[in-house]
Amino acid sequence: RFKTNLRISLLQISGYKKLYLSVENLRKVPYDSENEEHEEQLIELWNLLMPHESLKARITKQWCDIGFQGDDPKTDFRGMGLLGLVNLVYFSKHYPDEARQILSRSNHPKLGYSYAIVGINLTEMAYSFLKNGALKSHLYNMVSGLPQMEHFHQFYCYLVYEFDKFWFEEEPESIMHFNQYREKFHEKIKGLLLDCGVILTLKN
């Protein structure tokens, strides 16, 4: 039994490092509007979130409807590269009802926020937890072998869902206070991750 546990532990430790490298490599890929695959994923994100509305053009103010800052989303991916887009698409594809519901809530007249921008911000949060080792207990409890990219995406989905709940519970005066509440949410999740029996996913 000791040998089995040791083997699983070593697998998990090496798997965590590999997962971090995979996530880091995706983060380092800049969004490239000349790359067909990148563009397809971006259009897929629109279609998943806005199934009843067609994009009138590739560069259009419509992107603001799903929470990008301007009329070309590529500029918003700078910090997190392709990882930000892959996370957004994953959540919309695997939890379409939740994604559209949260998008709808993000358009609230008083408590609204930029859905896509906040999503990319939460990619950065998930990435930082992975990088500093805070995700170890969560991932080791979740999978008794090699953690995969899928498990990172699942944690990201949890963050998006929980942040939306947190934001509406806190009722910030305005989006101008975003950083303050982001920090508060970060501390909350950091505290949860300290529990050695923790598993944080939407599937719970």
Side-chain angles (χ1 to χ4, degrees):
R1 185 175 173 89
F2 172 75
K3 275 186 178 175
T4 305
N5 288 343
L6 180 65
R7 193 175 62 82
I8 288 171
S9 297
L10 291 172
L11 258 183
Q12 288 177 325
I13 292 163
S14 66
Y16 191 93
K17 286 178 184 167
K18 282 179 188 166
L19 175 61
Y20 169 68
L21 289 173
S22 300
V23 169
E24 175 67 358
N25 287 338
L26 198 53
R27 187 188 74 84
K28 281 181 180 170
V29 177
Y31 184 88
D32 179 7
S33 50
E34 300 297 311
N35 184 311
E36 209 172 297
E37 282 182 26
H38 294 191
E39 287 286 287
E40 280 172 6
Q41 285 192 71
L42 185 59
I43 301 303
E44 183 182 12
L45 177 65
W46 174 271
N47 291 334
L48 286 163
L49 289 171
M50 305 289 274
H52 306 302
E53 192 179 326
S54 298
L55 273 176
K56 294 181 174 66
R58 164 60 182 80
I59 293 177
T60 167
K61 284 274 182 273
Q62 282 176 287
W63 290 113
C64 298
D65 296 344
I66 60 171
F68 286 103
Q69 283 178 322
D71 52 10
D72 190 351
K74 75 172 185 183
T75 55
D76 293 326
F77 293 115
R78 277 189 197 132
M80 286 289 111
L82 203 58
L83 183 64
L85 176 57
V86 170
N87 270 167
L88 282 166
V89 170
Y90 184 95
F91 181 55
S92 303
K93 191 185 278 185
H94 291 80
Y95 300 97
D97 295 340
E98 288 84 350
R100 285 175 208 147
Q101 182 189 359
I102 290 172
L103 173 62
S104 172
R105 280 159 62 89
S106 76
N107 289 317
H108 189 281
K110 184 174 182 292
L111 298 171
Y113 58 85
S114 299
Y115 176 84
I117 295 295
V118 169
I120 294 166
N121 207 289
L122 292 171
T123 289
E124 195 279 325
M125 190 182 291
Y127 166 77
S128 71
F129 281 133
L130 180 71
K131 187 178 181 180
N132 69 19
L135 277 192
K136 281 180 181 170
S137 289
H138 159 74
L139 286 171
Y140 294 170
N141 291 331
M142 198 176 170
V143 54
S144 61
L146 295 168
Q148 306 292 331
M149 185 67 87
E150 173 93 5
H151 301 117
F152 177 78
H153 292 327
Q154 285 288 338
F155 176 67
Y156 167 80
C157 294
Y158 170 84
L159 287 184
V160 175
Y161 189 78
E162 290 299 317
F163 178 80
D164 179 72
K165 274 200 315 195
F166 171 82
W167 182 260
F168 278 87
E169 281 163 10
E170 292 287 326
E171 297 188 347
E173 281 178 42
S174 84
I175 194 67
M176 304 308 287
H177 299 287
F178 175 76
N179 287 342
Q180 175 191 335
Y181 286 93
R182 181 201 186 278
E183 193 52 39
K184 193 174 176 182
F185 180 69
H186 181 272
E187 288 305 307
K188 179 185 174 182
I189 301 298
K190 192 164 94 175
L192 293 175
L193 289 169
L194 291 173
D195 175 2
C196 59
V198 70
I199 294 182
L200 303 178
T201 69
L202 275 187
K203 288 180 175 175
N204 283 359

